[in-house]
């Protein structure tokens, strides 16, 4: 793919520099959509099988981008054959097409990628919404649906809205007991989980130098909860030291904002003034102080996830628990981010401390974070260091999940009640990390692949359903009406249902399971009577994950349009990729006029999409703002159909 020549006419921010160096379509000064070249891709197992099925259908001999890594971290401890089938499929695909394969048990994709592969100044596209973790070392790392990753692996560009840059100016230095998690919770308190679509959050200012790489990665990771395109830190001396300690000094380049670089908005955080914060149930944007919760009884504490599972985090917990024992009536589980982290904890004695303190050591995988295990008991209070506390995501609908820092989690574990951590000495950045790469397979054939490899397809690996071209006129029915902030966990539940990710007909049975158990049957009944289906929603529809199944399975059930007050970035892109029109109400009050069963007659749908995106249906004005490329994709019935 051709690279545009960069002519720097004005001082640039870090994000602007990296985007300019990767721009292949559009002009950030004129166009609303930009195409960027993708250097690295990552997938995880729960989204990966679909991504690779889609990549396969593109007919390439091997991956075309610089580096592709396939991680297995979501569905690792299986009941039944389905996940194991997925792993075999993923391993064989990786071997055939030149993808590095990270076996189950190696660790969590974002932590591993940061440790072993992420490079400052490059672009990374991942089929997981927390891919922006790479922003911690100065990568433009973006989460997207699996099919977008497939296109990038096939050498295609990725499209982003021309970004507005919000500068987060950090000054001062964190006090003991306060850490990176509290910084991102502060940013979430200010900006919330909606209304940030199209922004990149870039961290700058004197406070940046006081944060080590794992802390920066925590902040960039949980920027996903803001709904932004990505978050990024400069690549500086701290980044160089981190990469050198990983034996990757050669991967470092300095990338800092130019003097006089302009941000579209600036928010200042004085690190010295921050106090421990928590996100209260059921939203990462529902921020309270830990002080205000102090003394509340806690039933369960889970430490880990891609947000807080680095050596720095778990070593901090070990230091707080050293020589002590967790309270009798609290269950404490710890999941490290990688085998490198585990090795370090073994070698410095931390694992013995955690063992003696009565912690349950869990597998170094997503596990509890996605409700794959460790669901709390009925009505329990669970303190967790992960990034999402949507209702029911833990696997227990009545549980109250609070998101906190490792420091708060550890101090509370000792007392069995929410406790403000007063003392937690800084863990120095290691001068050298042990390299534990033996669970990365097919490194030697990366990029080229082994073409004669036979792909292993168990019965759980089903075909990707094909989209159908958009009709000009059709009848449709409202199949469901939901409220504000509906997450992809509501639309396409994970946890116990994750194992059906490679089998769309089966997984489709669970669409909207937490909201309406009859959604699947109603949709099919409507289709049988000649109606397409429409989803009606409030503000910020599709928050959370990158899972394209939240669009793919509704497409399979005949959904042709979502009509919402607003739609979040990754989900909007996924809807388009699967031929579903992402409409918003021209007049949000019209939301009140629609109820399940309401019948629409769409006349001139194709014309509306080709034109200005506006259509009036039975007295209700709907609009959608689509780029030329997006219009073509929807008219064809989705990205796969458009590509073929
Ligand atoms: C999540 O944290 O919600 C997930 C599970 O990692 C998802 C991906 C998926 O649904 O497989 C994400 O964040 O994109
Ligand atoms: Fe895994 Fe949780 Fe991170 Fe998603 S948020 S990648 S489920 S650890």
């Amino acid at each position: 793919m051709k690279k545009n020549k960069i002519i720097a006419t004005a001082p640039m921010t870090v994000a602007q520099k990296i985007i300019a160096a990767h721009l292949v379509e559009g002009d950030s000064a004129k166009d609303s959509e930009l195409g960027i070249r993708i250097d690295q891709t990552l997938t995880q197992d729960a989204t990966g099988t679909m991504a690779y099925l889609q990549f396969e259908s593109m007919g390439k001999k091997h991956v075309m981008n610089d580096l592709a890594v396939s991680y297995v971290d979501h569905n690792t401890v299986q009941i039944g054959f389905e996940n194991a089938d997925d792993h075999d499929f993923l391993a064989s695909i990786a071997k055939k097409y030149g993808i590095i394969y990270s076996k189950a048990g190696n660790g969590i994709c974002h932590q591993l990628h940061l440790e072993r592969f992420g490079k400052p100044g490059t672009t990374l596209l991942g089929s997981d919404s927390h891919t922006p973790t790479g922003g911690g070392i100065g990568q433009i790392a973006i989460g997207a649906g699996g099919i977008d990753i497939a296109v990038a692996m096939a050498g295609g560009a990725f499209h982003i809205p021309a970004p507005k840059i919000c500068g987060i100016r950090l000054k001062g230095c964190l006090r003991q007991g306060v850490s990176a998690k509290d910084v991102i919770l502060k940013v979430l308190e200010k900006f919330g989980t909606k209304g940030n679509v199209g922004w990149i959050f870039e961290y700058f200012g004197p406070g940046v130098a006081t944060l080590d790489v794992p802390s920066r990665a925590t902040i960039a990771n949980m920027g996903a909860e803001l709904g932004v395109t990505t978050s990024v830190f400069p690549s500086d001396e701290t980044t160089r030291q981190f990469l050198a300690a990983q034996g990757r000094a050669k991967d470092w380049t300095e990338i800092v904002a130019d003097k006089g670089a302009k941000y579209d908005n600036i928010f200042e955080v004085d690190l010295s003034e921050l106090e421990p914060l928590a996100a209260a149930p059921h939203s990462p944007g529902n921020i309270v102080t830990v002080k205000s919760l102090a003394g509340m009884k806690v039933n369960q504490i889970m430490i880990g996830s891609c947000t807080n599972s680095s050596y720095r985090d778990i070593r901090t917990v070990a230091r707080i628990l050293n020589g002590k024992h967790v309270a009798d009536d609290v269950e404490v589980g710890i999941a490290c981010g990688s085998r490198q982290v585990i090795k370090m904890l073994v070698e410095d004695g931390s694992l013995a401390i955690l063992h003696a303190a009565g912690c349950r050591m869990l597998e170094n995988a997503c596990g509890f974070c996605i409700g794959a295990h460790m669901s709390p008991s009925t009505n329990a209070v669970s303190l967790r260091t992960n990034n999402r506390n949507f209702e029911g995501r833990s696997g227990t609908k009545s549980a109250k999940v609070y998101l906190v820092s490792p420091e708060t989690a550890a101090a509370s574990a000792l007392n069995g009640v929410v406790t403000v951590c007063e003392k937690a000495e800084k863990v120095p950045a290691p001068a050298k990390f042990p390299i534990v790469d033996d669970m990365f397979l097919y490194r030697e054939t990366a990029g080229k692949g082994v073409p004669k490899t036979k792909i292993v397809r168990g019965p759980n690996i089903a075909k990707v359903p094909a989209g159908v071209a958009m009709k000009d006129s059709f009848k449709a029915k409202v199949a469901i009406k939901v409220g504000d902030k509906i997450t992809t966990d509501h639309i396409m539940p994970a946890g116990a249902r994750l194992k059906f990710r490679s089998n769309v007909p089966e997984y489709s049975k669970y669409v909207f399971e937490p909201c309406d158990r009859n959604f699947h049957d109603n949709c099919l009944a409507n289709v049988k009577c000649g109606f397409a289906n429409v989803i009606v929603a409030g503000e910020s529809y599709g928050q959370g994950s990158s899972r394209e199944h939240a669009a793919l399975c509704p497409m399979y059930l005949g959904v042709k349009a979502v009509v919402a007050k607003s739609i979040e970035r990754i989900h909007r892109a996924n809807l388009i990729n699967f031929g579903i029109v992402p409409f918003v109400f021209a007049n949000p009050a019209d939301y009140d006029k629609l109820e399940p069963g309401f019948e629409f007659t769409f006349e001139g749908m194709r014309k509306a999409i080709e034109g200005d995106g506006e259509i009036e249906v039975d007295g209700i004005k709907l609009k959608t703002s689509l780029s030329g490329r997006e219009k073509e994709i929807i008219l064809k019935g989705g990205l796969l159909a458009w590509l073929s």
Side-chain angles (χ1 to χ4, degrees):
M1 199 182 295
K2 266 200 290 145
K3 206 164 131 180
N4 276 12
K5 204 160 151 219
I6 321 157
I7 305 159
T9 49
M12 288 200 270
T13 74
V14 169
Q16 286 165 343
K17 286 184 185 186
I18 303 174
I19 290 171
H22 289 81
L23 199 64
V24 288
E25 283 170 38
D27 174 339
S28 47
K30 290 197 289 233
D31 299 312
S32 57
E33 188 181 70
L34 306 178
I36 55 170
R37 183 171 44 86
I38 296 299
D39 303 316
Q40 304 190 339
T41 52
L42 74 78
T43 56
Q44 41 89 342
D45 50 309
T47 52
T49 48
M50 260 321 131
Y52 294 115
L53 284 167
Q54 294 170 130
F55 175 74
E56 241 190 325
S57 72
M58 292 172 190
K60 299 283 176 196
K61 269 211 183 104
H62 50 71
V63 290
M64 311 295 286
N65 58 322
D66 295 352
L67 173 87
V69 190
S70 169
Y71 294 92
V72 177
D73 55 359
H74 279 61
N75 288 314
T76 55
V77 189
Q78 60 261 14
I79 296 170
F81 65 92
E82 292 91 345
N83 298 335
D85 276 11
D86 287 356
H87 303 172
D88 289 349
F89 169 76
L90 290 168
S92 60
I93 283 272
K95 186 169 181 190
K96 178 165 173 142
Y97 291 110
I99 298 152
I100 295 177
Y101 180 65
S102 170
K103 287 168 76 174
N106 199 18
I108 304 175
C109 57
H110 307 304
Q111 173 68 24
L112 286 168
H113 205 84
L114 192 80
E115 288 173 0
R116 306 304 306 139
F117 300 112
K119 261 195 209 177
T122 62
T123 50
L124 164 68
L125 194 69
S127 61
D128 191 281
S129 64
H130 291 104
T131 303
T133 311
I137 50 165
Q139 261 192 314
I140 286 293
I142 305 177
I147 192 165
D148 286 320
I149 312 320
V151 170
M153 287 188 294
F158 178 66
H159 296 85
I160 53 169
K164 290 164 283 179
I165 315 282
C166 179
I168 306 288
R169 185 171 189 280
L170 302 180
K171 66 172 190 185
C173 189
L174 292 169
R175 287 184 288 122
Q176 280 200 24
V178 185
S179 66
K181 187 61 155 284
D182 304 304
V183 178
I184 185 62
L185 292 177
K186 187 75 195 167
V187 175
L188 274 153
E189 180 186 60
K190 165 75 183 163
F191 292 94
T193 58
K194 66 184 179 76
N196 304 312
V197 174
W199 287 84
I200 290 182
F201 276 33
E202 181 169 324
Y203 291 80
F204 74 108
V208 167
T210 69
L211 298 175
D212 56 16
V213 163
S215 301
R216 297 176 186 186
T218 295
I219 295 168
N221 167 288
M222 209 174 159
E225 277 43 77
L226 295 157
V228 294
T229 301
T230 192
S231 303
V232 69
F233 276 83
S235 167
D236 57 9
E237 179 53 24
T238 305
T239 324
R240 192 196 63 73
Q241 280 172 16
F242 173 82
L243 290 172
Q246 289 285 356
R248 302 203 287 125
K250 279 215 228 76
D251 287 347
W252 183 73
T253 24
E254 183 177 51
I255 309 172
V256 292
D258 291 329
K259 214 159 166 245
K262 291 225 165 28
Y263 300 92
D264 298 297
N265 187 13
I266 289 186
F267 175 59
E268 188 169 83
V269 179
D270 185 346
L271 300 174
S272 342
E273 281 181 3
L274 272 189
E275 63 176 307
L277 298 172
H282 296 289
S283 168
N286 197 5
I287 309 300
V288 296
T289 61
V290 172
K291 204 162 58 192
S292 71
L293 304 171
M296 181 174 69
K297 171 89 196 76
V298 176
N299 307 89
Q300 187 196 53
I301 297 181
M302 291 290 124
I303 299 169
S305 92
C306 58
T307 317
N308 281 122
S309 62
S310 64
Y311 171 71
R312 179 247 164 248
D313 289 333
I314 314 296
R315 175 73 184 140
T316 301
V317 171
R319 283 186 164 184
I320 295 171
L321 299 187
N322 195 4
K324 306 186 177 120
H325 200 278
V326 305
D328 282 351
D329 50 358
V330 70
E331 171 180 55
V332 181
I334 300 181
C336 300
S338 69
R339 289 168 78 236
Q340 178 180 84
V341 173
I342 296 178
K343 189 167 164 59
M344 293 172 80
L345 297 173
V346 170
E347 285 171 359
D348 72 4
S350 299
L351 204 63
I353 295 173
L354 299 172
H355 177 261
C359 301
R360 290 177 68 178
M361 295 310 293
L362 311 172
E363 195 184 21
N364 45 336
C366 297
F368 73 82
C369 172
I370 187 60
H373 62 204
M374 305 301 292
S375 299
S377 54
T378 306
N379 298 325
V381 168
S382 178
L383 246 52
R384 296 177 166 221
T385 66
N386 61 307
N387 44 40
R388 290 185 175 143
N389 58 347
F390 304 143
E391 188 177 13
R393 179 177 162 100
S394 65
T396 307
K397 196 157 185 230
S398 65
K400 289 173 271 310
V401 175
Y402 292 80
L403 306 176
V404 297
S405 69
E407 288 81 349
T408 302
S412 306
L414 291 174
N415 298 329
V417 296
V418 176
T419 304
V420 176
C421 175
E422 303 289 354
K423 197 165 168 286
E425 281 162 38
K426 197 170 169 172
V427 173
K432 201 166 169 18
F433 290 95
I435 309 305
V436 199
D437 280 350
D438 54 307
M439 284 174 87
F440 286 111
L441 306 189
Y442 317 131
R443 292 178 75 111
E444 328 67 54
T445 50
K448 306 182 288 284
V450 182
K452 59 179 189 317
T453 310
K454 191 170 170 334
I455 304 298
V456 184
R457 281 176 228 275
N460 195 43
I461 311 289
K463 277 212 185 106
V464 187
V468 281
M470 183 62 72
K471 287 195 193 139
D472 198 43
S473 321
F474 55 93
K475 290 189 300 173
K477 261 193 199 178
V478 174
I480 191 169
K481 180 178 179 180
V482 287
D484 292 343
K485 292 192 180 182
I486 287 295
T487 71
T488 52
D489 281 284
H490 291 105
I491 307 169
M492 210 53 273
R497 308 298 181 206
L498 261 182
K499 65 180 188 176
F500 300 122
R501 281 289 175 89
S502 315
N503 189 338
V504 172
E506 192 55 37
Y507 200 26
S508 296
K509 294 182 183 157
Y510 305 100
V511 180
F512 281 117
E513 188 186 20
C515 309
D516 175 4
R517 208 52 201 91
N518 297 319
F519 181 78
H520 167 268
D521 292 354
N522 289 345
C523 281
L524 292 189
N526 291 343
V527 170
K528 219 167 165 193
C529 300
F531 288 94
N533 289 302
V534 171
I535 294 167
V536 174
E539 293 282 8
S540 197
Y541 180 70
Q543 279 193 359
S545 83
S546 69
R547 68 190 69 146
E548 63 189 356
H549 295 79
L552 171 55
C553 293
M555 173 194 89
Y556 178 76
L557 298 177
V559 174
K560 284 286 174 199
V562 165
V563 177
K565 290 185 186 168
S566 62
I567 305 179
E568 287 301 305
R569 172 187 75 87
I570 306 183
H571 188 59
R572 176 189 172 278
N574 285 337
L575 290 171
I576 294 168
N577 283 348
F578 292 99
I580 299 177
V581 193
F583 277 124
V584 291
F585 291 101
N587 173 11
D590 283 344
Y591 170 84
D592 297 330
K593 294 186 186 156
L594 296 178
E595 289 305 328
F598 185 97
E599 288 181 22
F600 286 113
T601 309
F602 284 98
E603 306 264 14
M605 182 72 136
R606 289 186 69 89
K607 241 219 218 107
I609 292 168
E610 278 159 5
D612 59 6
E614 292 184 12
I615 193 166
E616 190 168 330
V617 204
D618 300 295
I620 295 174
K621 283 196 183 132
L622 308 176
K623 55 181 189 176
T624 182
S625 167
L626 300 167
S627 69
R629 185 187 61 91
E630 290 171 336
K631 288 177 181 182
E632 288 174 22
I633 292 173
I634 292 199
L635 291 172
K636 281 271 188 185
L639 186 53
L640 262 194
W642 182 70
L643 288 169
S644 55

